[in-house]
Amino acid sequence: MPTSYGQFCPVAKAMEVLDERWTMLVIRELMMGSRHFNALRRGVPKMSPALLSKRLHMLVRCGVVERHRDGARITYHLTEAGRELEPIVVALGRWGIRWIDQLGEEDLDPHLLCWDIHRNIDLEAVPDGRTVICFRFSDNAVAASARAWWLVISGDAVDVCDFDPGHDVTVTVDTTLRALTQVWRGDISWPAAVRSGLLTLRGETYAQRALPRWLKLSSLAGTPRPVRVPA
Amino acid sequence: MPTSYGQFCPVAKAMEVLDERWTMLVIRELMMGSRHFNALRRGVPKMSPALLSKRLHMLVRCGVVERHRDGARITYHLTEAGRELEPIVVALGRWGIRWIDQLGEEDLDPHLLCWDIHRNIDLEAVPDGRTVICFRFSDNAVAASARAWWLVISGDAVDVCDFDPGHDVTVTVDTTLRALTQVWRGDISWPAAVRSGLLTLRGETYAQRALPRWLKLSSLAGTPRPVRVPA
DNA sequence: CAGTATCCAGTTGGATACTG
DNA sequence: CAGTATCCAACTGGATACTG
């Protein structure tokens, strides 16, 4: 159990449960619908499995998460208390996107970005048959093996690959990891990124036009940003 | 600067700033109106001054707090970004009071409780002249020196004393630290506490009747609690 | 798949004392 | 008043390997 603040204040009691490192991100993943240990890991890849396990158990003890055995598999769910954290997590995200707008190099992660993008493809908008989108990152900082990613969309399935799956590519996006991350977050609009050359498209003309409608961006991308009064 | 989660997710970026131990409580105190270092300390007495100083500087670097020199004195204020955390802090408090209803012995603190109560006296409701309220805690766990507290209300000033200020006492509340804390938090209603004998009043009859209107309770006391379905 | 086990380096933060 | 300085014990959490 986390260390007490020695205060009866409800904010303090809440933060005892919620302010340990990683905890809020685990809750976020549960809200995104991850149910299994390794599914959760994908959302917090930099967290060690031992620590994830520890946090899950803590959250169970604190009444935020329930652990069930579903046949051989083990599943995690938010309790009612956990579900009531949703508006708080959303508000934290909104606050974060409004006020923490400087991303460091260490915040950029091609794997996480492609995973997020793949979860938010608008399947209604993508044509039938197979569509392959390829992202190419020109950043030197990105490991050579993580410079190209493929999204393979067919029917209602979307797969992410960090290797060439061998299919014809419908459209290729040449960009930097930072630029695509900023577009995903809504820090830069898609047209602005294309106009300024941060993002270049190649491939089928119809696909170049339709691509912005296939990718739905982060649910927080539309958050209004603070109006900065020039000094 | 706090350690990065290595994620561009806005929730992660927000939590980098906010999830360090004590941070949210410092922000809460700033929202309550504390402006000076030692005023802040009163709200987080179990935090060492070194750590409070460190957190304040971190919050300044992260754009949540501004530090001003006001003549000889130094003041801290929330920035616009900091003020936008208010709904989050309130929501955390609401969540905390709904779901973390078990208070440990270590959460009870007579000093903090009397300080909170003194900040929330309804001066309009208290008669003119001097009114003295005495709280007496019968708990063995409470240090002998912290078993009796006096609130001295005169005009628009309220003073808290942990020693007998020597005035005639208008009304005395005999209770336990836990019971008064629960009443303050709204876990138990005042009438219920009196009825069950958790709280006994002595002194002027008018004052016994009026006391619940003099003390305003925590702003979260009215939070609706989850309906627990009996198992 | 769903974790545990172990180890250890590094950090955190509590206690205490001190300063301009 | 508004902090710094110092010390150190304890804990945290990262890395890695392993298990039923």
Side-chain angles (χ1 to χ4, degrees), chain B residues 36-38 53 67 73 76:
Chain B
H36 301 284
F37 192 85
N38 286 331
S53 172
R67 184 180 195 270
R73 305 201 72 184
Y76 297 93

Side-chain angles (χ1 to χ4, degrees), chain B residues 130-134 150-153 165 167-172:
Chain B
R130 184 164 58 217
T131 300
V132 179
I133 305 169
C134 175
W150 288 262
L151 293 186
V152 182
I153 310 160
H167 307 302
D168 281 351
V169 171
T170 316
V171 59
T172 299

Side-chain angles (χ1 to χ4, degrees), chain A residues 103-163:
Chain A
L103 294 180
E105 287 306 311
E106 65 283 1
D107 297 323
L108 307 177
D109 181 325
H111 197 307
L112 233 28
L113 179 61
C114 292
W115 190 255
D116 273 356
I117 290 176
H118 117 275
R119 287 202 278 204
N120 281 272
I121 294 292
D122 187 349
L123 288 167
E124 305 296 306
V126 181
D128 292 341
R130 186 165 54 216
T131 300
V132 179
I133 306 168
C134 176
F135 296 104
R136 293 195 303 196
F137 302 123
S138 60
D139 315 51
N140 288 325
V142 177
S145 62
R147 290 230 182 107
W149 295 75
W150 289 261
L151 293 185
V152 182
I153 310 161
S154 43
D156 54 354
V158 184
D159 289 319
V160 206
C161 310
D162 59 356
F163 55 89

